[in-house]
Amino acid sequence: MITLRSHVGGRWHEATGGFVELVDPSTETPVARASTAGIDFAAALAFARDRGGPALRALTFAERAALLKAMSKALYARRDELLDLSTTNGGSTRRDSKFDVDGATGTLAYYATVGAELGERRLLADGDGVQLGRTARFWGQHVWVPRRGVAVHVNAFNFPAWGFAEKAAVALLAGVPVVIKPATSTAWTAARCVEIVIEAGILPEGALSLVAGSSGDLLERLGEQDVLAFTGSAATARTLRGLDNLLSRGTRVNVEADSLNAAVLGPDVAVGSATWDLFVRDVEREITQKSGQKCTAVRRILVPRERLADVRGTLSERLAAVVTGHAADDRVTMGPLATENQLADAVAGTARLASAARIVIGTGRRADGAGAPEGKGYYFPPTVLEAADPGAEVVHQIEVFGPVATLVPYSGSMPEAAALVGRAGGSLVTSLYSDNADDVAEFVAEGGAFTGRLYLGSEKAADQAPGSGVALPQCLHGGPGRAGGGEELGGLRALALYSQRVALQGARPMVERLVGRTQAEPDPA
Ligand code: NAP
């Protein structure tokens, strides 16, 4: 069995005890083990801050961007190996593994491109300068400077490669060293990504560290200049947000947490139209991709009451064709859930939903998987429920992190749809399918504040729309309230988390020389 190593203080650390086993969720066979026993986290953080930080800050944006490009290439060169690992340790089918691994290399490549455009500088202007004095001689200009601490990235189990890359790309481009702590259950893929990057000698010493296993007292040691970027459940987020040191020292914390994303079918959409087809294709994908273990997956499907039977019938047909089973089996289109706990949570969560909604597709129980040993594997086939009462509390509160969604009837009124979307207390993404521009405008006005991203499916967008669940690096990933209130990605906006905004005030030539320009630049905020 493989023993995962951590990389701290510029060295590989292999523990000798305290292991947690990682399993292949398709068969429940143990495949690796991880432990952080024996790591001196204070020393690990100090090394990253004192060695990695200065080395990164000495580089220009273009030079840091070149590192990201090299990271993307190094990972891409090992693509097949990473895809296999994602299948073995994450239970992802080949297609789902590509979503994770190609998402990682693509996001690194994207930040390499935008970073290169920033060129040979280390200071980023934030918006335009402004006259502060009687004349333009006394000038103000906001700038972003890299924070002097370390960025600790605590990630969820579902995207071990992308989760690593989307956070690391931004912090490294901003000039801040990274300590990544992947979720232990699927840490093998993330650990291998870090190993590939470290062994390729791409980054300066201390720029990237890996904690493979529990985080020990790592988070209790973060201070004023550090950043904690967390992705995971709202319950863990609550615990971490409450850490004394983070509160008393004002450590910057970004949270990406649960989300009951909604897909809303507009009342104008006729059965069989291009917009209808996009809606059913997207909803099916959002239920089944990564076996529904996506923070951006659709959990609630809002449908005008008179279309309910059509949507139910179409989804029934499409989901009946899904083959749930061993992730490495070619016939299989949906793999298992990632862990025994995830399976237990999905069964329990569906039972809670079933107290207010009837199961119309699937059973809400474990099943044997195609190509898997009988009784083994964390299989949970696609499951759709239907709520009689659109306001039923549990439908808007229980996030089942699996291939589970609930049909919610509504009248076709946009304010009503927006209010239902808002019942979940804040989402990462909401998708609206409509070709009626007035309805779309009304929905945005009423419901925009409840969501971080609004995906507008329409006939004209249908052939290019990638699906509501894709977190593109150009656009914000994060959502208000229950979704954590965090912000990631969104092009250069993402650098703000790892930077200190400073208002420079002084003689105009002096100020403008510092930012190396006299005209407007991209605004990261
Ligand atoms: P989780 O149990 O909250 O774990 C997330 C991460 O936090 C893991 O790395 C875990 O490490 C770590 N962790 C847990 N307790 C900790 C503690 N007391 N101190 C320090 N670290 C701790 O979540 P998960 O089961 O991996 O992920 C599923 C959840 O994540 C879902 O609710 C989903 O909605 C959410 N999610 C959100 C997004 C987003 O972008 N908004 C993306 C993906 C997932 P160990 O594994 O070592 O325990």
Side-chain angles (χ1 to χ4, degrees):
M1 195 191 319
I2 294 279
T3 300
L4 302 189
R5 297 176 301 168
S6 295
H7 189 76
V8 287
R11 287 195 308 275
W12 292 104
H13 172 92
E14 187 167 319
T16 53
F19 291 106
V20 173
E21 271 187 358
L22 283 61
V23 302
D24 178 345
S26 293
T27 60
E28 302 180 30
T29 313
V31 291
R33 58 184 194 167
S35 166
T36 55
I39 292 182
D40 179 344
F41 286 106
L45 287 171
F47 187 83
R49 286 189 199 107
D50 299 345
R51 295 285 279 275
L56 286 169
R57 292 195 297 273
L59 303 177
T60 65
F61 280 107
E63 287 167 336
R64 291 178 213 144
L67 303 181
L68 302 185
K69 191 169 177 190
M71 286 171 69
S72 175
K73 282 188 173 168
L75 295 180
Y76 189 77
R78 302 297 184 92
R79 179 172 183 258
D80 281 334
E81 183 194 346
L82 292 171
L83 294 177
D84 287 347
L85 278 186
S86 162
T87 298
T88 305
N89 182 210
S92 301
T93 61
R94 185 120 183 127
R95 183 186 285 217
D96 285 349
S97 298
K98 286 180 189 167
F99 192 55
D100 183 29
V101 173
D102 293 345
T105 51
T107 303
L108 283 162
Y110 167 78
Y111 275 103
T113 303
V114 297
E117 284 163 11
L118 295 176
E120 303 300 323
R121 76 181 82 165
R122 296 176 186 81
L123 207 61
L124 198 57
D126 170 27
D128 292 335
V130 60
Q131 178 178 326
L132 298 178
R134 196 166 22 87
T135 71
R137 198 177 329 144
F138 192 62
W139 194 246
Q141 170 71 58
H142 290 89
V143 295
W144 293 102
V145 299
R147 294 172 77 82
R148 311 282 290 197
V150 67
V152 173
H153 293 163
V154 178
N155 283 333
F157 72 85
N158 55 344
F159 285 102
W162 177 80
F164 153 62
E166 60 103 17
K167 284 190 174 75
V170 175
L172 293 171
L173 183 60
V176 177
V178 169
V179 176
I180 172 201
K181 188 237 149 331
T184 304
S185 57
T186 60
W188 194 359
T189 310
R192 189 65 192 123
C193 287
V194 172
E195 220 168 51
I196 290 167
V197 170
I198 299 281
E199 282 172 359
I202 295 165
L203 295 172
E205 255 204 337
L208 179 62
S209 308
L210 165 72
V211 172
S214 113
S215 57
D217 62 358
L218 174 76
L219 305 185
E220 282 79 359
R221 297 182 172 279
L222 297 182
E224 293 82 357
Q225 289 286 321
D226 300 319
V227 178
L228 169 62
F230 169 80
T231 297
S233 64
T236 307
R238 218 172 14 248
T239 307
L240 300 190
R241 276 191 211 273
L243 288 177
D244 269 357
N245 59 310
L246 303 184
L247 292 171
S248 63
R249 300 178 74 179
T251 308
R252 207 173 267 181
V253 178
N254 192 76
V255 171
E256 301 288 343
D258 305 359
S259 180
L260 277 98
N261 312 296
V264 181
L265 182 66
D268 61 299
V269 180
V271 176
S273 64
T275 307
W276 167 274
D277 289 345
L278 176 66
F279 164 75
V280 289
R281 199 167 64 233
D282 281 357
V283 168
E284 182 204 338
R285 186 197 301 111
E286 291 310 313
I287 292 173
T288 57
Q289 191 170 50
K290 293 284 290 179
S291 311
Q293 300 167 113
K294 283 192 317 188
C295 50
T296 51
V298 169
R299 307 293 177 201
R300 300 173 294 159
I301 313 164
L302 272 58
V303 178
R305 200 163 261 110
E306 66 275 14
R307 294 264 188 277
L308 205 51
D310 293 315
V311 173
R312 186 194 312 122
T314 308
L315 282 179
S316 254
E317 273 170 34
R318 295 181 74 113
L319 292 173
V322 172
V323 181
T324 306
H326 195 302
D329 189 311
D330 287 343
R331 297 164 300 164
V332 164
T333 54
M334 196 180 85
L337 299 182
T339 64
E340 189 177 5
N341 276 348
Q342 288 301 316
L343 175 62
D345 283 355
V347 172
T350 306
R352 288 185 69 189
L353 287 177
S355 67
R358 69 189 172 105
I359 296 177
V360 291
I361 301 171
T363 62
R365 289 193 297 275
R366 182 197 173 275
D368 275 338
E374 204 182 316
K376 290 287 182 190
Y378 310 129
Y379 299 105
F380 190 94
T383 301
V384 176
L385 300 97
E386 190 172 306
D389 170 11
E393 187 71 8
V394 289
V395 170
H396 304 286
Q397 292 303 320
I398 304 293
E399 182 206 41
V400 179
F401 209 59
V404 180
T406 304
L407 290 163
V408 180
Y410 79 105
S411 66
S413 130
M414 287 296 105
E416 185 197 351
L420 287 170
V421 166
R423 290 286 302 275
S427 308
L428 291 171
V429 55
T430 303
S431 44
L432 171 63
Y433 297 83
S434 173
D435 292 290
N436 182 325
D438 291 337
D439 278 358
V440 172
E442 193 174 19
F443 185 85
V444 173
E446 294 291 322
F450 301 132
T451 194
R453 182 158 61 82
L454 250 176
Y455 170 95
L456 303 173
S458 68
E459 189 182 347
K460 290 217 167 89
D463 65 336
Q464 294 192 23
S468 57
V470 183
L472 296 165
Q474 297 88 339
C475 291
L476 173 73
H477 175 61
R482 177 195 183 117
E487 295 196 345
E488 288 184 341
L489 303 178
L492 290 176
R493 288 172 190 83
L495 300 192
L497 179 62
Y498 303 99
S499 312
Q500 177 62 41
R501 194 194 323 242
V502 183
L504 296 176
Q505 301 174 326
R508 183 171 185 173
M510 170 93 75
V511 170
E512 292 198 327
R513 184 169 178 274
L514 285 169
V515 292
R517 63 141 167 131
T518 55
Q519 61 203 14
E521 296 205 1
D523 179 358

